[in-house]
Amino acid sequence: MSDFTKLADAVLRGDFGGAGQITKELIDNGADPLAIISQGLIAGMDIVAPKFKAGEMYVPEVMMAARAMAVGMELVKPLINDVDIPSKGTVLIGTVAGDLHDIGKNLVGMIIESGGFKVIDLGVDVSVERFVEAAKQYNPQVIGMSALLTTTMIAMKDTIDALTEAGLRKNLKIIVGGAPLSVDFANQIGADGYASDAVTAKELCERLAV
Ligand code: B1M
């Protein structure tokens, strides 16, 4: 097994210690930092994503894998210029106003990031105004909103309307997700896409962020 494959395997198993150790060894042995990312760290998460979607891995295991990837990333990032990291685009995510649930949103962010996007996480209870302000500030290709409560779903429509009124929809796609949502609801509020899970959210971003 090559060191890159060992690293991918450590990520898959959520072994932070192993992922950190192998990343350090690869760096010390002069491996290309971008290869460490693509052939080791992201390669591991690429195995995790379909397993999660197929129900072969569960939320805690996926979060451990994403953390193991993050441990390696922290070691490699200082060695590369930000502009050298291939990025598929910027995705702004947040849980909507009035809603404090963030476990699903965090998972969605990690999976989208592992797919090669720069993810800016606005956190929870994100007001309509904050989404609009951040859209102007970061100029993302995609905004992803999460809601877990039936009472906060409506904040998604308010946010979409505000982004439209601010004239920001031209080059911006909006995706929504969260347990109480449906594709019909997403269509009704004018979202560009609905994802029932984190991997579908990543796939939607890949399709929409062009
Ligand atoms: Co809350 N809660 N909660 N809660 N909580 C629910 C959502 C609830 C269904 C429980 C129940 O009654 N059965 C219920 C909502 C009922 C409803 O509205 N119909 C509920 C309630 C009522 C409340 C409070 C009002 C309780 C109270 O105080 N009386 C309160 C509200 C606080 C607030 O937000 N203002 C509250 C509080 C909390 C805790 C703080 C205790 C805690 C949250 C901790 C945290 O997130 N840091 C909590 C939890 C943990 C839950 C349950 C048990 C689990 C949610 C979760 O994390 N699931 C939940 C019951 C349940 O869902 N079974 C419940 C795991 C997570 C990985 O799944 O978030 O669905 P999920 O994310 C999935 C997909 O939905 C999707 O991908 C993720 C991964 O595949 N997805 C997206 C999510 N966001 C996406 C965005 C996308 C795409 C996909 O694109 C951008």
Side-chain angles (χ1 to χ4, degrees):
M1 205 190 266
S2 79
D3 285 346
F4 289 122
T5 313
K6 279 187 202 154
L7 179 55
D9 189 56
V11 169
L12 174 62
R13 289 183 289 105
D15 173 4
F16 330 151
Q21 183 60 37
I22 300 167
T23 303
K24 269 195 205 118
E25 283 167 15
L26 281 163
I27 293 170
D28 290 346
N29 292 335
D32 173 8
L34 287 179
I36 298 177
I37 294 176
S38 62
Q39 294 172 41
L41 299 167
I42 289 182
M45 280 309 285
D46 277 347
I47 306 171
V48 172
K51 279 186 178 288
F52 177 57
K53 199 165 184 183
E56 291 166 19
M57 280 180 85
Y58 298 100
V59 171
E61 295 166 291
V62 177
M63 295 188 109
M64 300 266 285
R67 291 241 162 84
M69 182 187 81
V71 167
M73 281 290 196
E74 286 311 308
L75 294 166
V76 186
K77 263 189 185 164
L79 306 177
I80 33 183
N81 205 326
D82 250 10
V83 291
D84 292 336
I85 304 176
S87 170
K88 291 183 185 163
T90 300
V91 179
L92 205 63
I93 60 164
T95 303
V96 295
D99 202 322
L100 302 176
H101 295 85
D102 68 356
I103 297 170
K105 182 264 299 166
N106 293 346
L107 188 60
V108 168
M110 288 184 217
I111 296 283
I112 293 177
E113 192 167 42
S114 76
F117 290 90
K118 177 175 180 189
V119 173
I120 296 165
D121 187 345
L122 301 177
V124 296
D125 190 16
V126 181
S127 67
V128 171
E129 296 75 24
R130 178 71 189 114
F131 270 117
V132 172
E133 184 190 297
K136 288 180 185 162
Q137 184 181 351
Y138 298 108
N139 200 18
Q141 279 71 41
V142 178
I143 288 186
M145 286 185 277
S146 178
L148 263 285
L149 299 171
T150 45
T151 48
T152 57
M153 287 161 62
I154 194 64
M156 292 179 155
K157 178 168 177 356
D158 297 342
T159 308
I160 291 176
D161 289 349
L163 288 164
T164 308
E165 274 161 31
L168 297 168
R169 288 296 294 282
K170 196 162 168 266
N171 297 312
L172 170 68
K173 302 291 182 197
I174 299 172
I175 67 168
V176 293
L181 273 69
S182 65
V183 69
D184 285 347
F185 176 76
N187 290 336
Q188 275 167 31
I189 63 171
D192 297 295
Y194 159 73
S196 60
D197 59 74
V199 179
T200 310
K202 182 193 80 165
E203 290 165 355
L204 257 183
C205 289
E206 280 164 348
R207 201 144 41 83
L208 294 172
V210 281

